[in-house]
Amino acid sequence: MSKENRFSWLAFIAVGALLLIALLLSSSAAERESIGTHAATGVPTPPATRPRTVAASVPLPGRGPGASLHGKRPFPSGNPWNQDISNSPLDPNSANLIKSIGADDRLHPDFGTVWNGAPNGIPYIVVAGTQPLAPVSFRSYGGESDPGPYPVPRDAPVEGGPNGTGDRHVLVIDRDHWKLYELFSASPVKSAASWVAGSGAVFDLNSNILRPEGWTSADAAGLPIFPGLVRYDEVFEQREIKHALRFTVGRSRRGYVYPARHFASGDPDPNLPPMGMRVRLKSSFDISSYSAANQVILRALKKYGMFVADNGPGWFLSGAPDPRWSNDDLGMLKNIKGFNFEVVRMGPVVTR
């Protein structure tokens, strides 16, 4: 090899070595900058890692009365119950509708620990897909009820307790087939080997299918009850309610709006709320003074709102009973009044 060629190769190697050294020095500096030092301890913090895309895995719901769903949400994401309405238009008749419910009346959490010797709220139970089926016969609304049998266990909790005289709802979630079974005015027969009820409805929680037009359910509005409950597991485990809630009004209109399917009034007054009407807590309402638990509920009322689901005391917000609730803390929600809510614009009102 000639001197000229040897010189060229040596120069090439030297330049390459210099570039490699510069690259290493730059990488080391960048690493030192990305690692940094924890201000309180002086211990180097690990460098930031690139986030990985991992498929979400929701655990199977638990079993038993008041069991946690571990974050599993009923119905598809596009279902009305799961719709974000925080930026939806205001109904042009909002002020009159709110006034008819009670603009100065207080929000009332209709759930908690115990009231009148029974669990306070609408209870539910989660069962496995192997739960034996129990015959159910219907009285008042048999023609608008889904026929049995239903997977109601002998120890299924009844709203108001075994001797309750109210609506006596029974809610059962089949966690394996992901179905919801709901009964109204339910009573066990022959040590709960079978049940008798005023009405009943079955909902496929993987589907958006509604009740037939004009049909009731276990609720006056023809809606499912369970998805509209404030539940302990969502408030304290998930720390987020990702669905609309359910409430009652003192007087309703003869009519219903989507997604409701049934009305429970003969009054055609257009200033009264139809079943299925949706309200939300005003975005301007300051929730910062409320407890962390109550803020979970109030954020849901701003983002998802609540549906008019039945006749009853005005502004009564439904939830599931749990001995771990703090009744005193829930009572702070009574500081919220009707005028703090507004009506989301409704679709056509069905009156037939």
Side-chain angles (χ1 to χ4, degrees), residues 73-252:
R73 184 169 65 169
F75 300 121
S77 59
N79 189 277
W81 283 98
N82 303 326
Q83 178 188 8
D84 180 351
I85 48 79
S86 56
N87 294 315
S88 296
L90 191 68
D91 193 272
N93 199 32
S94 177
N96 289 327
L97 292 162
I98 294 295
K99 183 179 179 180
S100 75
I101 304 172
D104 291 315
D105 292 343
R106 298 179 183 275
L107 182 68
H108 184 96
D110 194 21
F111 61 97
T113 57
V114 175
W115 187 75
N116 274 356
N120 183 18
I122 303 177
Y124 67 91
I125 187 169
V126 182
V127 301
T130 55
Q131 173 65 40
L133 301 176
V136 181
S137 58
F138 298 103
R139 298 186 300 260
S140 308
Y141 298 96
E144 297 178 15
S145 295
D146 294 320
Y150 287 21
V152 185
R154 291 176 181 267
D155 62 345
V158 179
E159 180 185 10
N163 300 315
T165 57
D167 285 345
R168 295 187 59 86
H169 289 113
V170 171
L171 315 183
V172 180
I173 298 95
D174 178 340
R175 68 175 189 177
D176 297 312
H177 298 107
W178 204 222
K179 286 190 175 182
L180 171 63
Y181 298 81
E182 298 189 338
L183 297 174
F184 162 71
S185 190
S187 295
V189 179
K190 296 180 180 178
S191 300
S194 62
W195 292 76
V196 61
S199 62
V202 181
F203 296 90
D204 182 349
L205 298 179
N206 289 308
S207 169
N208 288 323
I209 296 176
L210 302 175
R211 303 285 290 157
E213 190 81 33
W215 276 32
T216 188
S217 58
D219 215 358
L223 293 169
I225 297 171
F226 177 74
L229 300 180
V230 178
R231 306 196 321 266
Y232 188 92
D233 62 312
E234 291 183 301
V235 172
F236 286 96
E237 295 175 18
Q238 304 302 316
R239 299 181 183 179
E240 184 180 15
I241 296 174
K242 298 191 292 184
H243 56 80
L245 299 173
R246 170 193 187 274
F247 79 113
T248 60
V249 296
R251 296 172 60 210
S252 64

Side-chain angles (χ1 to χ4, degrees), residues 248-274:
T248 60
V249 296
R251 296 172 60 210
S252 64
R253 190 194 316 183
R254 178 186 169 86
Y256 60 88
V257 295
Y258 175 86
R261 309 299 275 174
H262 185 261
F263 55 76
S265 171
D267 194 332
D269 186 348
N271 292 322
L272 291 175

Side-chain angles (χ1 to χ4, degrees), residues 278-298:
R278 195 170 192 163
V279 304
R280 66 182 170 219
L281 187 62
K282 292 179 179 178
S283 61
S284 59
F285 185 83
D286 184 7
I287 68 173
S288 62
S289 64
Y290 289 85
S291 68
N294 281 339
Q295 286 188 37
V296 171
I297 299 170
L298 297 178

